[in-house]
Amino acid sequence: MRIVVDAMGSDSAPGPDVEGAIWAARKYDVAITLVGEKEIVQQELSKYDTAGLDIEIVHASDVITMSDHPAMAVRAKPDSSMVVAMGLVRDGQADAFVSAGNSGGVLATALLSRSRLGRVKGIRRPAISTVLPTRTGKCFILDIGANTDCKPDWLFQFAHMGSIYAERVLEIPSPRVALLSNGEEDTKGNEAVIAAHELLKGSSLNFVGNVEGKGILSGYADVIVADGFVGNVAIKTAEGVSNVLLSALKEYLQAGILTSLGALLAKPAFNKVKGMLDYREYGGGPLLGVNGVVIIAHGRSDALAIQNAVRVAREAVQQKVVDHIREGLGSIALEDSEEA
């Protein structure tokens, strides 16, 4: 299996991107293609022992930055690392693409660039997704940023794609699916959520109804569906709360001699909770609904996060997620509607 990594993606590129890709090549026995300014990437790669690893570099002279307008950038920068890397997947020279770069840029590259993968036939809109820790394990939430205003049938399809991913990759049998809303009652939510609720009630999915924000991390559902605006706010809020709690707990445990002694005793438990809340352990989230495996990692990813993003890509390829989404569309009873 060959996985192409955007070596210019993360906020601190190319250091974490290259190092994490090397770790992944060694740990998961995958071939890696690093895409970026060849001289810069080669200089970074030379710092490590890569004997026995299948790692190659493909040159790309430009970069889509975090400040670039995604749709404009993919057209203005046809030789960017994202566009070149996506083209390798489209042309069958790689099995998956991983980037910690501009998430809108990744989406636009997959749909609008000269290297576009396009959507799976029948999918109205792709969705960006991620894994979140819960009190009982983990949940899968989508969309978290690709579509700020959604139609009911888009949410319906997100639910199906999320259920397939949770079952195939996260190994959750008959995953429980919920809609993120401002109340648990069937009648709560905006028009799109209420209409999507009706569609999901009549579907073959294990739909458990609405879930409020407070229930996201409770373990109530395995798959949580939202539009990209609400989903993005939800995960950023959860991330912020976890950072505040961990920082405050660490500060309090180091405040005095007695608490420091208590901290030594509590260290194993503290580290376990810290690991559960650490975004780096989850690597990245798949862009579901496109004709290829595309994983979007956090912009501030370090080497560990990149390594785990490659792992997520590897798992999605192994489990043939794209094929299962394509096949699963046959069970979705929706009348054809005009695609925008």
Side-chain angles (χ1 to χ4, degrees):
M1 186 188 301
R2 178 168 293 278
I3 297 180
V4 57
V5 175
D6 178 5
M8 313 306 291
S10 76
D11 296 345
S12 302
D17 314 74
V18 171
E19 185 177 14
I22 293 169
W23 291 2
R26 186 171 291 119
K27 184 171 183 177
Y28 303 119
D29 191 28
V30 292
I32 296 289
T33 297
L34 296 167
V35 179
E37 179 66 43
K38 190 168 186 176
E39 185 176 338
I40 295 174
V41 177
Q42 182 60 61
Q43 184 177 5
E44 190 67 31
L45 190 63
S46 67
K47 297 177 182 178
Y48 304 94
D49 177 12
T50 58
L53 301 180
D54 186 349
I55 299 178
E56 65 178 20
I57 300 173
V58 171
H59 178 68
S61 62
D62 217 337
V63 178
I64 294 176
T65 69
M66 292 295 182
S67 60
D68 281 333
H69 184 282
M72 294 174 62
V74 297
R75 294 186 173 98
K77 298 180 176 182
D79 200 44
S80 67
S81 55
M82 282 187 190
V83 174
V84 173
M86 195 77 74
L88 296 176
V89 177
R90 183 202 59 189
D91 296 340
Q93 297 179 52
D95 299 289
F97 172 47
V98 172
S99 177
N102 184 323
S103 59
V106 176
L107 176 64
T109 301
L111 297 180
L112 303 173
S113 76
R114 68 178 189 184
S115 299
R116 60 184 175 272
L117 299 175
R119 288 171 283 173
V120 171
K121 186 177 181 180
I123 290 293
R124 311 297 195 256
R125 290 292 188 278
I128 302 174
S129 55
T130 193
V131 173
L132 287 178
T134 70
R135 185 176 58 81
T136 58
K138 54 193 171 187
C139 70
F140 189 64
I141 181 169
L142 71 169
D143 182 21
I144 60 167
N147 309 278
T148 54
D149 295 299
C150 288
K151 297 180 180 180
D153 58 336
W154 301 0
L155 296 173
F156 184 72
Q157 289 191 337
F158 295 168
H160 277 269
M161 292 192 295
S163 182
I164 289 169
Y165 188 87
E167 185 168 8
R168 301 294 304 186
V169 178
L170 303 181
E171 299 182 338
I172 301 173
S174 187
R176 298 161 297 163
V177 178
L179 272 172
L180 185 58
S181 186
N182 63 331
E184 297 176 355
E185 299 84 0
D186 296 5
T187 55
K188 288 294 181 72
N190 57 25
E191 291 183 6
V193 169
I194 293 172
H197 191 285
E198 288 301 308
L199 290 173
L200 289 167
K201 276 174 60 177
S203 74
S204 60
L205 296 176
N206 184 12
F207 181 57
V208 294
N210 290 347
V211 62
E212 295 178 315
K214 65 181 181 181
I216 295 175
L217 305 181
S218 70
Y220 176 76
D222 304 304
V223 177
I224 296 177
V225 179
D227 65 59
F229 180 86
V230 174
N232 189 270
V233 171
I235 65 159
K236 294 294 176 59
T237 301
E239 183 180 315
V241 170
S242 68
N243 288 338
V244 169
L245 288 177
L246 288 173
S247 297
L249 184 57
K250 184 177 181 180
E251 181 181 337
Y252 294 149
L253 289 174
Q254 296 175 346
I257 295 176
L258 290 178
T259 53
S260 294
L261 290 173
L264 289 174
L265 296 174
K267 189 175 181 179
F270 179 80
N271 287 340
K272 186 174 182 179
V273 172
K274 184 179 179 181
M276 184 183 76
L277 298 176
D278 190 350
Y279 77 92
R280 300 177 304 166
E281 296 293 339
Y282 301 96
L287 175 62
L288 297 179
V290 297
N291 270 313
V293 174
V294 177
I295 306 299
I296 301 174
H298 205 297
R300 69 169 187 265
S301 291
D302 62 6
L304 177 61
I306 296 297
Q307 172 192 292
N308 282 318
V310 173
R311 171 185 54 78
V312 171
R314 174 176 173 265
E315 292 170 349
V317 173
Q318 288 177 328
Q319 297 302 324
K320 300 181 178 179
V321 168
V322 176
D323 290 340
H324 285 289
I325 287 174
R326 190 177 291 113
E327 293 166 6
L329 286 177
S331 65
I332 300 177
L334 278 178
E335 292 182 359
D336 290 337
S337 63
E338 182 178 353
E339 298 183 10

